[in-house]
Amino acid sequence: HGSRPNDQQRFAVGPCQKRGAQNRIPRRLVFGDESAFDDRGQLPVLGLDGVKALGGSVTFDAGQFDSIFYAHALLDGMRDGVVEMIALRPGETEPEPWVPADVAGYTTLGWHFPTTFKELTNLYDGFRGEGALARLLEQRIERRTGIHVEHDLLPYATGRVIHLTRIERPVTPRAQATLVAFQLSDEGPVRDALERVHERNRDFLVRKSFGGQKYLQVEPPRLTDEPEDGARPRPCFGVMFGYLMLSN
């Protein structure tokens, strides 16, 4: 298309039908041999056998926005699998009072995490066997942090997510700071969960505070050949202003 600022870019991916089968999948859904992918019975497990077509558009210079992106999926019946995991829902978009006015980027959305977790469990267990995801989370997360994702975090997430980017001063190659915040219905249980994380990882988790707000900062040991004054990322996380916040 042309390069005028308000030109609209569009795309569409039509359905294809394979060897007379009724299940339709988007053309070029996967790279390589589609027949091999479908013959293993993975499309129904992933919930992609009901996706008939995909489409979308991008509008530039759209009023107060630099661009607006629309995406649509034509489904053959109810959502399932991967499609059901995309559990977006309407919610507040007004920035919270704690959001700085000089942020470089601001994104907020509503997401129903229990639905996503349920479908992720069904998908993972569908490939690896019943209880596979629970065992994986226990090995990789619960044993190391003391946090049980399904019991300690999911029940207290309201679904609102905020993503911020900000350029710190002085400007350096690592000056871009990123923060992701998850709104909580109850701060107490999540604070207790973070306390367990600290207890199990005292060697590199340091308590910090700023403006009366407490948080944990990751302070990994320096490498033997790392300069003493070398800049290094210091990830941090904590519960404040009704949100679980994670930042680099």
Side-chain angles (χ1 to χ4, degrees):
H1 297 284
S3 58
R4 293 191 301 268
N6 60 349
D7 272 349
Q8 195 171 64
Q9 309 295 318
R10 299 182 178 89
F11 71 90
V13 184
C16 68
Q17 199 151 347
K18 185 172 70 64
R19 292 199 295 271
Q22 295 301 313
N23 292 333
R24 297 179 176 183
I25 60 176
R27 192 172 288 134
R28 309 308 302 167
L29 176 66
V30 292
F31 296 104
D33 186 358
E34 289 177 356
S35 62
F37 186 87
D38 196 12
D39 286 343
R40 291 196 297 267
Q42 293 174 339
L43 282 174
V45 176
L46 292 172
L48 295 175
D49 54 329
V51 179
K52 299 173 64 176
L54 301 172
S57 65
V58 181
T59 302
F60 299 100
D61 193 17
Q64 62 179 319
F65 302 103
D66 293 333
S67 62
I68 297 178
F69 175 76
Y70 296 91
H72 306 275
L74 179 61
L75 306 179
D76 186 13
M78 298 293 292
R79 297 195 308 172
D80 192 20
V82 172
V83 182
E84 181 68 9
M85 285 177 62
I86 307 174
L88 290 165
R89 67 180 189 182
E92 294 292 330
T93 59
E94 188 73 18
E96 293 281 19
W98 50 263
V99 175
D102 60 347
V103 293
Y106 168 83
T107 304
T108 187
L109 54 84
W111 199 281
H112 193 252
F113 291 107
T115 296
T116 298
F117 186 82
K118 176 184 175 182
E119 291 301 322
L120 176 61
T121 301
N122 292 338
L123 288 177
Y124 195 86
D125 290 0
F127 286 105
R128 305 300 296 272
E130 186 175 354
L133 182 62
R135 291 191 296 271
L136 178 67
L137 294 177
E138 181 185 7
Q139 295 170 3
R140 300 292 179 86
I141 298 179
E142 189 171 356
R143 290 181 184 177
R144 299 179 183 182
T145 66
I147 288 183
H148 192 290
V149 174
E150 190 173 8
H151 297 156
D152 297 332
L153 298 180
L154 286 182
Y156 309 107
T158 67
R160 183 174 186 184
V161 183
I162 294 177
H163 176 270
L164 304 177
T165 57
R166 188 184 188 193
I167 306 302
E168 300 288 343
R169 300 292 188 271
V171 177
T172 67
R174 294 184 176 180
Q176 179 170 302
T178 301
L179 179 142
V180 180
F182 301 87
Q183 191 179 51
L184 304 173
S185 60
D186 188 351
E187 293 186 5
V190 181
R191 288 186 188 275
D192 294 341
L194 296 189
E195 281 298 316
R196 295 198 297 273
V197 175
H198 180 252
E199 289 297 323
R200 296 194 181 200
N201 301 276
R202 286 179 174 271
D203 292 342
F204 59 88
L205 279 182
V206 180
R207 295 183 188 275
K208 297 282 186 176
S209 65
F210 181 81
Q213 300 296 326
K214 298 179 180 179
Y215 61 94
L216 296 173
Q217 183 168 291
V218 180
E219 291 281 1
R222 285 190 176 274
L223 302 177
T224 55
D225 58 347
E226 185 178 359
E228 287 293 331
D229 58 348
R232 61 195 329 227
R234 288 184 170 85
C236 53
F237 55 94
V239 174
M240 56 192 77
F241 304 116
Y243 283 79
L244 170 61
M245 300 189 183
L246 305 94
S247 177
N248 65 347

